[in-house]
């Protein structure tokens, strides 16, 4: 069995503890160099050869920065390691012509690293971190006789062209200047400009400068710019962040059509409905986030996603989660059950260019109501109306209620650490309830010492959702709480929201575009439709099935339930089920007769 020691560089604060790990290490006490100080970084360096795995440093480190892990026996041939005590990757997926390979796994497990390796940005070192920059000949030799041998040979000789849509599209304006039209026409090596502008609905942004785009617009531009390029291998790192459901399915169309054009495509994605619809087969990454990641065998897309949901990979004989994720069929909730927390009659509010109306409705205690609809359709306006912040043109809300609100775009100008942010923004911070119900599910402990400015998208999201939940309110409104979270984090966030609102006898309104997540957490739902930026109409909250049906009918998409796990799956356009469901007006799975 082999053992790795991992040091989390963000967490390690040797100045504050004066090397507690070294002080207590039994090896060091016997005058061995089990842990030494790195001359460059001044951080501790743990020798994996000398380390006995006693775990004392792990327990003693006040910042939980050290992790000593016994690797499963089968893992003895790493593909890459970033450095001593750093993340290690085992295995690589292989791509195939004319197909889309999906990659599914938690944050920090090596997904982006895989793309960096397969696109030639990182030459893998087969775990020999002393020589951090790998050697092409060694890699080519290592993969002798397999498909990856040719891949790396051609890649190293510049014979294949790789196109890469990066994860962090909000960084793009820093590197790409000018307007959208010029960017896309300069990139247009495949003569697909018109087609992609049409499918991704980019006409209105063509004359805009890259610096003036919203997250969703940037994402679509980034997908389009990759799509129009000529390449052999296409890598899309999380293409759906910021996109609404319709835009997600348009992205599926665009990316799938690359495969139809004969390309080899890989997509990393946390939205399970999108991943399901886009992939021909998938690879699952497992291991321990931040420490090591293992690429599973290739799996069929249905079987693979189901295995992920069930938490057990049969071929690998690995349990990746204690329990299966359970989806339910959502029997319609009786309309008059429970006590309402707020009720309103027909509402109207008109701005200069935008008019909003909502059908009379009510929200009950202890329920989660999800809201779906495109961006710019009045969801935030509705929340502000409930909060009594907006003067209505018509109708009234029975009683103004206290609302806690997490906006969609969470830019933080806060200067200071996560801990001081919590101290100032979450008044229950420090209490036991906060610890168990918020701190733990959102894994805030591990980012407490980080600067808020340095947080990744997912970390900032966790912090914002957590802080909102810690507020004192009657309705908790979350605008896209799943953006940048992995599948596990999405479900954990959903469960934490449920627990808190039930304990406070409150309610939650959640705007989201991840259908599987929506299906998992909704008690009831509202549909917002109309024309973004011009007119928005909200239905009253009603059961999920009725709402989904209306929403999907507008989009002309149908969903069925997977027989085994009951998760929602998109039907192929014009498939037998798609046509049957449309004929019956049952867009969200067929009712059992
Ligand atoms: P994912 O895309 O699955 O979220 P990544 O591939 O980005 O994960 O990262 C996997 C792990 O490797 C993380 O713990 C990350 O901190 C670490 N890592 C990524 N790049 C480097 C690097 N250049 N040097 C050291 N560690 C790195
Ligand atoms: P969503 O939350 O669905 O993205 P919003 O409710 O934030 O949508 O906004 C809907 C529309 O109303 C947008 O076009 C927005 O520009 C417009 N709008 C929102 N607030 C105001 C305001 N105070 N004055 C004028 N227009 C507004
Ligand atoms: Mg990544």
């Amino acid at each position: 069995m082999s053992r790795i020691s991992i040091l989390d560089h963000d967490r390690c604060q040797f100045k504050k503890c004066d090397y507690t790990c070294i002080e207590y290490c039994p090896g060091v006490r016997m005058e061995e160099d089990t842990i030494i100080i790195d001359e460059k970084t001044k951080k501790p360096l743990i020798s994996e050869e000398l380390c006995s795995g006693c775990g004392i440093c792990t327990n003693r480190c006040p910042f939980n920065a050290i992790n000593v892990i016994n690797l499963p026996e089968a893992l003895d041939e790493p593909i890459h390691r970033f450095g001593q005590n750093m993340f290690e990757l085992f295995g690589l997926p292989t791509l195939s012509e004319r197909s889309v390979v999906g990659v599914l796994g938690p944050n920090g497990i090596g997904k982006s690293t895989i793309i960096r390796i397969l696109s030639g940005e990182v030459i893998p070192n087969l775990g020999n971190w002393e020589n951090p920059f790998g050697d092409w000949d060694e890699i080519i030799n290592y993969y002798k006789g397999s498909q990856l041998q040719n891949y790396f040979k051609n890649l190293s000789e510049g014979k294949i062209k790789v196109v890469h849509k990066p994860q962090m599209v909000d960084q793009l304006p820093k590197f790409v200047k000018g307007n959208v039209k010029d960017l896309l026409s300069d990139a247009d090596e495949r003569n697909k400009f018109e087609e992609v502008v049409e499918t991704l609905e980019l006409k209105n942004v063509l004359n805009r400068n890259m610096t003036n785009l919203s997250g969703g617009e940037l994402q679509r531009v980034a997908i389009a710019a990759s799509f129009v390029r000529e390449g052999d291998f296409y890598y899309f790192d999380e293409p759906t962040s910021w996109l609404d459901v319709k835009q997600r399915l348009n992205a599926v169309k665009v990316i799938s059509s690359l495969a139809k054009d004969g390309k080899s495509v890989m997509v990393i994605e946390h939205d399970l409905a999108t991943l399901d619809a886009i992939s021909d087969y998938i690879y699952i990454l497992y291991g321990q986030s931040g420490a090591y990641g293992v690429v599973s065998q290739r799996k069929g897309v249905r079987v693979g996603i189901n295995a992920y949901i069930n938490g057990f990979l049969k071929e690998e004989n690995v349990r990746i989660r204690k329990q299966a994720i359970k989806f339910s069929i959502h029997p319609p909730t009786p309309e008059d059950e429970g006590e309402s927390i707020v009720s309103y009659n027909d509402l109207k509010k008109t701005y200069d260019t935008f008019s909003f109306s909502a059908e009379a409705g009510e929200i009950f205690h202890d329920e989660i109501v999800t809201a779906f609809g495109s961006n710019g359709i009045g969801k935030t306006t509705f929340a502000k109306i409930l909060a009594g912040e907006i003067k209505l043109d018509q109708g009234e809300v029975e009683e103004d209620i206290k609302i806690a609100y997490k906006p969609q775009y969470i830019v933080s100008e806060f200067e200071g650490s996560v801990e001081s942010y919590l101290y100032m923004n979450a008044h229950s911070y420090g209490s036991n309830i906060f610890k168990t119900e918020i701190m733990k599910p959102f894994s805030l402990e591990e980012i407490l010492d980080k600067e808020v400015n340095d947080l990744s998208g997912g970390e900032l999201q966790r912090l914002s959702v957590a802080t909102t939940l810690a507020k004192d309110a009657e309705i908790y409104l979350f605008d896209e709480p799943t953006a940048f979270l992995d599948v596990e984090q999405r479900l954990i966030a959903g469960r934490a929201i449920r627990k808190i609102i039930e304990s406070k006898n409150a309610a939650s309104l959640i705007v989201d575009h991840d259908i599987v997540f929506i299906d998992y957490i909704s008690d009831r739902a509202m549909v917002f439709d109309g024309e973004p930026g011009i007119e928005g109409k909200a239905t009253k909250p009603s059961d999920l099935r009725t709402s989904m049906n209306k929403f999907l009918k507008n989009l002309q998409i149908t969903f069925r339930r997977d027989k085994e796990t009951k998760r929602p799956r998109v039907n192929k356009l014009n498939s037998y089920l798609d046509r049957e469901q449309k004929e019956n007006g049952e867009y969200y799975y067929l009712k059992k007769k």
Side-chain angles (χ1 to χ4, degrees), residues 109-129:
I109 202 82
K111 300 181 302 297
S112 297
T113 302
I114 285 174
I115 291 194
R116 294 182 63 209
I117 290 174
L118 292 177
S119 60
E121 273 172 54
V122 169
I123 306 175
N125 58 20
L126 299 175
N128 304 317
W129 46 261

Side-chain angles (χ1 to χ4, degrees), residues 21 35 37 76 88 127 152 155 160 170-171 189 200 206 301 319 346 375 402 427 431 443 480 500 533 557 578 583:
C21 50
I35 310 182
I37 296 173
D76 51 2
E88 191 163 43
F152 282 121
L155 185 67
I160 47 180
D170 47 332
Q171 310 284 325
E189 296 158 347
L200 293 181
L206 283 180
V301 60
R319 178 152 290 288
D346 288 349
N375 296 327
K402 242 194 268 171
H427 34 243
S431 70
S443 305
E480 272 204 68
I500 297 257
I557 304 162
D578 184 56
E583 259 165 44

Side-chain angles (χ1 to χ4, degrees), residues 177 314 367 381 582:
K177 304 283 172 207
K314 204 163 68 189
E367 73 169 343
T381 302
K582 280 175 180 163

